[in-house]
Amino acid sequence: MSQIHEDVQEYYGETLKTNEDLLTSACCPTDAMPAYLRPLVANVHEEVVSKFYGCGSPIPPKLDGMTVLDLGSGSGQDCYVLSQLVGENGKVIGVDMTDQQLDVARKYIDYHTEKFGFSKPNISFVKHFIEDLSSIEDASVDLVVSNCVINLAPEKDKVFAEIYRILKPGGELYFADVFADRRLSAELKADPVIVGECLGGALYTEDYRRQMAALGFNMSYTVSNSVLTVEDEALKPKLEHINFTSQTVRAFKIEAEDREEDYGHKARYDGSIAEFADGFTLDQNNIFAAGEWVKVSGNVANILSQSRYKAAFTVEGSFEAHHGGFEAAASEAACCAPAPKATTGCC
Ligand SMILES: C[S@@+](CC[C@H](N)C(=O)[O-])C[C@H]1O[C@@H](n2cnc3c(N)ncnc32)[C@H](O)[C@@H]1O
């Protein structure tokens, strides 16, 4: 276990008692999450909710019957929301390294099983470093989610390699985390409070892109992106030269080119995902109004015809003729669009 692991365990196991103890706006309030998820959070036990330290709502749709793994599940809020969405025949696995967080999460398994009307639990919490998920089989998970955790891992390349290993072909990684527009100094990266607040280990967007590409995750798509402000007077002077963003991004275990290329594909969303009857947003550049044809890159055509979203899409086109690069805006979004100018609170 590294010094960073020890510091982070201390921060989430001892220093923070509830999310009100956080010093920055990294943590995302419930009212910032999609409206359809809020009643599901309202079903979660208040002690679990009080220890929610996420920076987004990395919970995509179409989860019925899926196996989902939450990296750094903490007290379990997202897992208990996912438990409702995958249903009794699905499975949710929460992974965390901090005993105090796991204790809170495990304490309420029976409470939620009964509350959701399930005959048996569909959820488990496992103690693991997210850099080593050795008890999870290869290609066994449909969706990996994570909420404000990967920044805390000192060896992010190992985390992404484990995600790639455990995902089924066509599976999805969907996570919210803190990104930075530069590599941070060694001093900031070792500061236990700055690290604990999810800033010291923020993912530098280009290194993230490189680490993902080295594994075969050639494309990452930015779903949402907001400026993260540091209000704390003691931390501000140390961090004000860095632009932090809170981003929700997704990637698929599907063969992809490292740029968006145009082969003349188009796709139409049928409106069948209940919570998104009017339209579906894959990312900031691929937005589908129900029933309308939209031009898509070859990579996106593959996602919409090979992932679990395929039942909701009709995709037309082939890879026989190449028409050049797909629109500049789409290529720019290949990994983590630049920070928006407007200052928003969170997620
Ligand atoms: C910011 S909290 C987020 C918790 C949870 N995702 C949520 O949204 O409430 C970070 C959590 O990740 C866990 N964590 C951090 N680094 C980890 C690592 N390398 N391996 C396993 N868990 C880790 C911590 O123990 C803590 O519970």
Side-chain angles (χ1 to χ4, degrees):
M1 183 158 72
S2 71
Q3 186 60 48
I4 297 277
H5 287 119
E6 276 182 38
D7 290 346
V8 169
Q9 268 186 347
E10 168 85 16
Y11 206 67
Y12 287 95
E14 300 292 340
T15 310
L16 299 178
K17 301 296 177 218
T18 75
N19 44 35
E20 290 184 1
D21 299 330
L22 285 165
L23 301 176
T24 69
S25 67
C27 185
C28 184
T30 307
D31 58 9
M33 66 174 45
Y36 79 94
L37 294 175
R38 287 178 218 160
L40 307 187
V41 176
N43 287 334
V44 178
H45 193 280
E46 62 184 21
E47 186 180 2
V48 170
V49 173
S50 75
K51 290 175 180 289
F52 170 72
Y53 303 121
C55 52
S57 302
I59 300 184
K62 274 193 92 59
L63 295 179
D64 192 27
M66 297 287 134
T67 297
V68 182
L69 185 135
D70 182 6
L71 292 172
S73 45
S75 64
Q77 175 176 305
D78 286 343
C79 286
Y80 285 117
V81 170
L82 289 160
S83 166
Q84 298 170 73
L85 291 166
V86 302
E88 198 160 7
N89 296 322
K91 191 166 149 190
V92 179
I93 307 158
V95 172
D96 208 285
M97 67 174 181
T98 304
D99 286 323
Q100 294 91 328
Q101 293 277 76
L102 287 162
D103 289 346
V104 174
R106 286 174 178 148
K107 190 160 119 187
Y108 295 105
I109 291 180
D110 290 345
Y111 168 89
H112 290 105
T113 302
E114 194 183 329
K115 177 127 191 157
F116 304 156
F118 299 158
S119 58
K120 56 179 182 356
N122 66 355
I123 196 164
S124 60
F125 293 97
V126 186
K127 186 170 181 181
H128 259 309
F129 291 119
I130 60 172
E131 295 90 338
D132 174 10
L133 302 171
S134 45
S135 75
I136 312 292
E137 280 180 30
D138 294 3
S140 61
V141 171
D142 297 289
L143 170 72
V144 173
V145 299
S146 185
N147 201 345
C148 227
V149 176
I150 298 175
N151 74 82
L152 296 166
E155 295 179 289
K156 298 176 184 19
D157 51 345
K158 287 191 180 166
V159 178
F160 293 125
E162 283 293 76
I163 294 169
Y164 197 83
R165 179 183 68 75
I166 65 172
L167 273 179
K168 294 178 185 173
E172 181 176 12
L173 163 64
Y174 193 88
F175 74 102
D177 223 308
V178 179
F179 288 75
D181 66 347
R182 67 202 66 193
R183 295 182 184 130
L184 271 59
S185 67
E187 194 186 338
L188 291 176
K189 280 204 270 197
D191 183 308
V193 174
I194 291 174
V195 170
E197 288 285 321
C198 296
L199 300 168
L203 294 98
Y204 168 47
T205 48
E206 286 303 303
D207 285 343
Y208 166 64
R209 181 184 61 73
R210 289 184 184 104
Q211 286 170 345
M212 294 283 279
L215 289 161
F217 277 127
N218 267 335
M219 277 293 167
S220 174
Y221 295 88
T222 306
V223 181
S224 66
N225 178 351
S226 62
V227 171
L228 203 156
T229 51
V230 179
E231 310 292 351
D232 183 78
E233 289 304 322
L235 298 183
K236 223 185 214 174
K238 298 183 187 171
L239 298 169
E240 59 195 357
H241 60 295
I242 303 162
N243 294 308
F244 292 103
T245 48
S246 178
Q247 301 196 20
T248 298
V249 301
R250 63 174 10 135
F252 293 84
K253 189 172 176 179
I254 290 174
E255 207 176 306
E257 296 184 88
D258 66 353
R259 288 286 180 274
E260 299 295 358
E261 301 289 347
D262 186 358
Y263 297 89
H265 290 94
K266 57 181 184 170
R268 185 178 60 193
Y269 169 56
D270 67 6
S272 65
I273 302 175
E275 305 84 0
F276 299 96
D278 296 336
F280 175 82
T281 297
L282 182 74
D283 76 330
Q284 292 174 335
N285 292 298
N286 290 282
I287 298 170
F288 302 89
E292 287 182 18
W293 286 104
V294 177
K295 277 185 62 144
V296 295
S297 69
N299 284 338
V300 171
N302 281 338
I303 290 169
L304 299 179
S305 48
Q306 293 175 33
S307 70
R308 71 180 190 287
Y309 300 109
K310 66 183 173 196
F313 280 87
T314 306
V315 179
E316 286 189 355
S318 74
F319 285 88
E320 274 164 31
H322 180 228
H323 305 300
F326 200 78
E327 299 156 12
S331 304
E332 191 182 37
C335 175
C336 316
K341 296 274 184 292
T343 298
T344 57
C346 136
C347 348

